[in-house]
Amino acid sequence: MASAKTTFLLSIPFMVIGYLLSFAPYNMVTYPPTNAWADGPMKLIGTPQFQTKKTDLFTSGATHMALLHNSILRGYNSIFHQAPLVADNDKADFVGYSLAWHKFVKSHHDDEEENLFTKIEELLKDKTVFEETHKEHESFLGGLAEFEKYLSGLKSPADFSGDELVRIMKTFQAPFEDHFHSEISTIAKLAGHPNTPKEGTPEHAAASATFKAWGKSTVTKAGVTDVVPFFLLNLDRTVEDGMWANWPPMPAPIKWGLINLAGAFHSGWWKFASCDSAGQPRELWVFQLAAQKAEREGAAKP
């Protein structure tokens, strides 16, 4: 009897994992994009490392920031295109997906201001390097707050209006896009700062380790079951000749778990993502539904 009880208790974790996997993003069907996709209206960013082939401290840092920014930009674009077309029975999931995007952006902004920028200023002994960046942040925070206020203030998901959300998004789209591109240039240019440590020095090694640690933690501490899957499911691994197919660097089983096990907790949200669990661009959900509806109506005609 004790043996049977022990066997049952040992099986519980596997039962839970099996249940979660039934909702995992890897179960999503992927269709190549044929309609408007997540590469607009906000333009995506070419990485400095791909463009210049340089691998110095700040070119690499700007490149990794660009990849993260592109996930945020694809998230914005996926929300922008789908908001006006979301079906009533999908509105609750779409609101959750959109709020996950806001949480991602807000956490990213706060972590830059409170941690990364301070570390870079201390490294370069220069408090002026991010003066314009601070101003750029201020230019879109009001619209971003209105975005969150509207979604969080809905009495019911049924009250969601895609047209209203898009109206709000357009109020901060231009400064948001400008900043997300400008910040990459600002960081990359720091390679030429007179106080940038030389490669091979202890200062360079310490700075590199600091920035890598920030990059690893900035998304995960924002939220493992919402922000992390959002980030990874809007990360196109096919861009720039597949140069970033294995980015961010982590063991494949851990990445798989972050997408599929952590992602299973809010499984309904990720159908709106721009990429599948393998990082392949996918037809946005509302256009998939429209195509399926057209097929059914065509088949029903005599």
Side-chain angles (χ1 to χ4, degrees), residues 51-67:
Q51 294 171 339
T52 68
K53 311 309 177 189
K54 295 179 180 179
T55 57
D56 61 83
L57 177 65
F58 284 112
T59 299
S60 296
T63 291
H64 298 161
M65 187 69 79
L67 293 168

Side-chain angles (χ1 to χ4, degrees), residues 60-296:
S60 296
T63 291
H64 298 161
M65 187 69 79
L67 293 168
L68 191 152
H69 278 194
N70 279 339
S71 182
I72 290 174
L73 294 175
R74 289 189 197 96
Y76 177 99
N77 292 338
S78 67
I79 294 168
F80 184 94
H81 286 306
Q82 295 183 92
L85 303 172
V86 174
D88 288 345
N89 62 336
D90 279 335
K91 285 184 174 180
D93 284 333
F94 189 75
V95 169
Y97 177 77
S98 300
L99 284 171
W101 177 83
H102 174 271
K103 185 180 179 184
F104 186 5
V105 176
K106 187 65 168 60
S107 175
H108 173 67
H109 161 270
D110 292 349
D111 204 23
E112 283 184 332
E113 292 280 357
E114 297 167 7
N115 295 298
L116 181 63
F117 292 168
T118 300
K119 288 181 171 66
I120 293 176
E121 289 167 351
E122 290 173 350
L123 171 71
L124 300 177
K125 301 177 178 63
D126 187 345
K127 295 289 187 180
T128 69
V129 290
F130 291 115
E131 283 182 342
E132 289 302 314
T133 302
H134 293 311
K135 294 175 184 177
E136 291 169 7
H137 277 180
E138 293 300 320
S139 69
F140 62 79
L141 288 180
L144 194 66
E146 187 181 357
F147 178 95
E148 190 276 337
K149 182 180 179 181
Y150 171 70
L151 292 172
S152 297
L154 293 169
K155 293 181 180 179
S156 165
D159 297 329
F160 171 78
S161 166
D163 290 337
E164 175 60 12
L165 187 66
V166 168
R167 182 197 68 77
I168 295 170
M169 295 171 77
K170 287 180 177 179
T171 66
F172 64 89
Q173 179 174 305
F176 191 94
E177 181 177 11
D178 288 346
H179 163 68
F180 269 61
H181 284 256
S182 174
E183 185 174 281
I184 304 308
S185 300
T186 296
I187 295 173
K189 288 176 182 176
L190 295 178
H193 193 281
N195 293 335
T196 293
K198 304 297 183 184
E199 288 195 52
T201 64
E203 292 80 8
H204 183 278
S208 180
T210 296
F211 298 153
K212 286 180 181 178
W214 182 86
K216 288 180 180 179
S217 69
T218 187
V219 177
T220 53
K221 71 182 182 182
V224 173
T225 63
D226 48 11
V227 173
V228 170
F230 190 105
F231 164 57
L232 294 172
L233 291 168
N234 283 291
L235 191 63
D236 181 357
R237 300 186 206 173
T238 70
V239 297
E240 298 185 334
D241 301 332
M243 186 173 180
W244 311 110
N246 297 313
W247 191 89
M250 65 177 72
I254 292 178
K255 184 181 292 184
W256 190 93
L258 288 172
I259 294 171
N260 293 294
L261 289 176
F265 284 88
H266 299 295
S267 58
W269 297 1
W270 313 128
K271 58 178 170 280
F272 300 108
S274 63
C275 300
D276 63 17
S277 62
Q280 300 292 308
R282 63 193 296 267
E283 184 85 282
L284 296 180
W285 176 247
V286 295
F287 298 127
Q288 287 189 41
L289 291 183
Q292 292 167 6
K293 180 180 179 183
E295 287 179 6
R296 289 195 302 269

